[in-house]
């Protein structure tokens, strides 16, 4: 087959700051998926996009081409509206676990097609796999059945959804081209639009533990994604939320499941509860359930009931003891003072090095590994007081994990003021 374009011309266009034509974008995504465009050529193009950016029309077309590379799901036969949430990824971000059953309480179907962790941010599927018996892989019929019967499903996204993105995301991960707004926005939104949800709430993280380190960049990413969703007919809103310090008190698979269950039991750390309720309100509003009270459904056990049914439906035992790591080591404060900074990225890398995350796709993760915080920014501490506990099955990892925290925890002469809000801003569609 004769190819319509020469990829080198497209790379040169982007390298020199030009815009790609719609037909060129359609072709390059398709040709890359077919294996005609080689990885080294696509990585040169991704780097040119990273450095030169893309216009709105180019991003829109790039997203559409990635959707067209695979199949789309169809939830239109369900008896209730669908709403989904996507987080751009952070440390200790276990919100999907309590959120999906919580929203389902109000007769909204929540299809959470999720991924595994790579690098310092955890993956929802890795967390749930800490529950004995739980299965991540469901076929489309099983997903639809569970949405009708239980109302919420958290499972692996099938290989058919936006296969161009799967290939491109893996390539970006190894070529320093992840943090480009056009590429992140099209990657996330191609999967969400192909999934076919009626409405979508984006949790765009800002801070050291996020892809976007500052508010302006996060705002631009959020606006780009909201516009892509709205143009595709998906009611889309975004919350910009703080990721300068970990969410809650745990980072690591089983540790985060335990904390999520505390939230579903009406307790749990206040920042996790605040964000879960804020995202639930957005999802419920978008689905037309404007008078629902998600905080009440956490307090009175309705969300917990859906959680138990959701876990059981996928083979998990909600009553089984969660795995724990074989070894722990606790770090203590060197001096009296106030915890000023407890850096999300440092804690994320620490948990990852303890075995909670993977360095390469396909690596196994340790269910019990991770970090348990005993303090949060703003807390007053005494010398010798525990700051955090590291958990792992492989104690030879403690040294490298401890090094990840160097400079990440500051104890000074602060005023002990509580930390700021988790939700920083809302971008509406
Ligand atoms: N998550 C995605 O799915 N894609 C990105 O590019 C970044 C985060």
């Amino acid at each position: 087959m004769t190819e319509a374009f020469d990829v080198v011309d497209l790379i040169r266009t982007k390298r020199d700051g030009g815009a790609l034509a719609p037909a060129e974008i359609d072709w390059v995504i398709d040709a890359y998926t077919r294996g005609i465009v080689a990885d080294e050529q696509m990585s040169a193009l991704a780097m040119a996009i990273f450095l030169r950016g893309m216009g709105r029309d180019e991003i829109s077309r790039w997203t559409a081409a990635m959707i067209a590379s695979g199949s789309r799901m169809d939830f239109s036969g369900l008896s209730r509206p669908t709403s989904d949430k996507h987080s751009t990824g952070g440390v200790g971000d276990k919100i999907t676990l309590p959120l999906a059953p919580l929203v389902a309480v109000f007769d909204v179907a929540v299809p959470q097609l999720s991924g595994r962790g790579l690098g310092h941010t955890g993956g929802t599927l890795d967390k749930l796999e800490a529950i004995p018996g739980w299965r991540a892989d469901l076929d489309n019929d099983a997903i639809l059945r569970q949405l009708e019967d239980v109302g919420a499903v958290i499972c692996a996204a099938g290989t058919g959804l936006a296969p161009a993105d799967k290939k491109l995301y893996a390539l970006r991960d190894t070529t320093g081209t992840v943090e480009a707004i056009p590429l992140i926005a099209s990657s996330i939104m191609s999967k969400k639009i192909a999934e076919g949800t009626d409405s979508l709430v984006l949790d765009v993280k800002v801070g050291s533990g996020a892809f976007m380190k500052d508010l302006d960049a996060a705002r631009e990413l959020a606006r780009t994604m909201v516009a892509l969703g709205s143009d595709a007919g998906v009611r889309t809103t975004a919350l910009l939320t703080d990721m300068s310090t970990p969410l809650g008190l745990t980072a690591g698979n089983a540790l985060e499941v335990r904390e999520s269950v505390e939230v579903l039991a009406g307790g749990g750390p206040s920042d996790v509860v605040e964000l879960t309720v804020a995202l639930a309100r957005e999802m419920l509003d978008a689905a037309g359930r404007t008078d629902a009270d998600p905080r009440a459904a956490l307090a009175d056990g309705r969300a917990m009931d859906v959680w138990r049914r959701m876990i059981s439906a996928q083979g998990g035992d909600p009553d089984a003891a969660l795995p724990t790591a074989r070894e722990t080591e606790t770090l203590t404060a060197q001096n009296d003072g106030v915890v000023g900074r407890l850096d999300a990225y440092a804690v994320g890398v620490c948990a990852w090095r303890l075995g909670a995350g993977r360095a390469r796709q396909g690596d196994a993760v340790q269910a019990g590994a991770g970090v348990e915080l005993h303090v949060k920014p703003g807390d007053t501490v005494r010398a010798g007081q525990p700051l955090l506990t590291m958990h792992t099955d492989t104690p030879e990892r403690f040294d490298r994990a401890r090094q990840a925290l160097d400079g990440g925890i500051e104890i000074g002469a602060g005023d002990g003021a509580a930390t700021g809000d988790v939700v920083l801003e809302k971008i509406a569609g």
Side-chain angles (χ1 to χ4, degrees), residues 28-257:
V28 77
I29 295 290
D30 178 55
Y32 180 55
T33 313
R34 287 187 285 125
I36 302 296
V37 168
D39 276 347
E40 62 270 23
Q41 294 172 313
M42 196 54 157
S43 58
L45 185 59
M47 185 58 83
I49 292 169
F50 180 98
L51 296 171
R52 292 293 196 166
M54 267 182 158
R56 276 290 157 86
D57 291 349
E58 285 178 287
I59 302 175
S60 230
R61 192 70 181 210
W62 187 274
T63 307
M66 293 220 288
I67 295 169
S69 73
S71 52
R72 298 179 77 146
M73 292 199 63
D74 181 7
F75 297 130
S76 59
L78 291 175
S79 60
R80 43 191 138 178
T82 47
S83 191
D84 193 4
K85 184 266 314 189
H86 183 87
S87 155
T88 56
V91 178
D93 182 5
K94 72 267 308 164
I95 302 293
T96 296
L97 277 59
L99 180 65
L102 173 58
V103 171
V105 165
F106 299 97
D107 220 16
V108 175
V110 186
Q112 275 289 168
L113 305 189
S114 304
R116 291 174 200 285
L118 194 63
H120 76 280
T121 62
T124 299
L125 302 181
D126 296 327
K127 295 172 197 183
L128 285 168
E129 277 174 349
I131 300 173
W134 187 85
R135 282 187 318 269
D137 291 312
L138 300 184
D139 62 26
N140 284 0
D141 286 346
I143 293 174
L144 288 169
R145 224 177 308 119
Q146 191 168 325
L147 284 173
E148 202 58 79
D149 296 347
V150 180
V153 61
I154 304 175
C155 66
T159 48
L161 282 188
D165 175 64
K166 281 205 178 63
K167 217 174 153 187
L168 182 56
Y169 189 68
L171 183 75
R172 287 165 54 213
D173 200 48
T174 54
T175 55
T177 50
V178 169
E179 300 91 341
I181 287 176
L183 297 177
I184 298 177
S186 56
S187 166
I188 291 174
M189 294 308 293
S190 62
K191 287 174 287 203
K192 291 294 151 182
I193 296 167
E195 174 195 290
T197 182
D198 297 325
S199 60
L200 173 66
V201 177
L202 297 160
D203 178 2
V204 179
K205 304 285 187 197
V206 192
S208 72
F211 289 128
M212 297 295 125
K213 310 290 179 204
D214 67 80
L215 204 52
D216 283 345
R219 213 178 266 132
E220 192 191 333
L221 175 62
R223 287 199 178 121
T224 307
M225 291 195 289
V226 167
L228 286 171
S230 305
D231 289 352
V234 180
R235 277 188 300 285
T236 310
T237 50
L239 296 184
L240 304 187
T241 71
D242 181 47
M243 188 32 70
S244 56
T245 198
L247 259 176
L249 293 168
T250 56
N253 303 311
L255 291 168
E256 292 192 47
V257 174

Side-chain angles (χ1 to χ4, degrees), residues 252-332:
N253 303 311
L255 291 168
E256 292 192 47
V257 174
R258 192 191 72 195
E259 191 166 87
S260 303
V261 172
E262 285 166 17
V263 172
L264 287 158
S270 59
D271 56 347
V272 179
V273 176
E274 187 195 326
L275 185 52
T276 303
V277 169
L279 289 165
R281 288 220 165 94
E282 294 299 331
M283 291 170 75
L284 291 164
D285 278 357
R289 307 290 194 260
T290 44
D291 50 9
D293 181 354
R295 205 176 277 279
L298 285 177
D300 64 17
R302 280 175 292 161
M304 178 69 99
D305 289 345
V306 179
W307 160 263
R308 294 175 62 81
R309 287 168 51 222
M310 180 182 85
I311 296 302
S312 302
Q314 289 171 247
D317 177 357
D319 296 314
L322 290 166
T324 51
R326 278 196 283 276
E327 305 277 343
T328 60
E329 186 181 300
T330 296
L331 304 189
T332 56

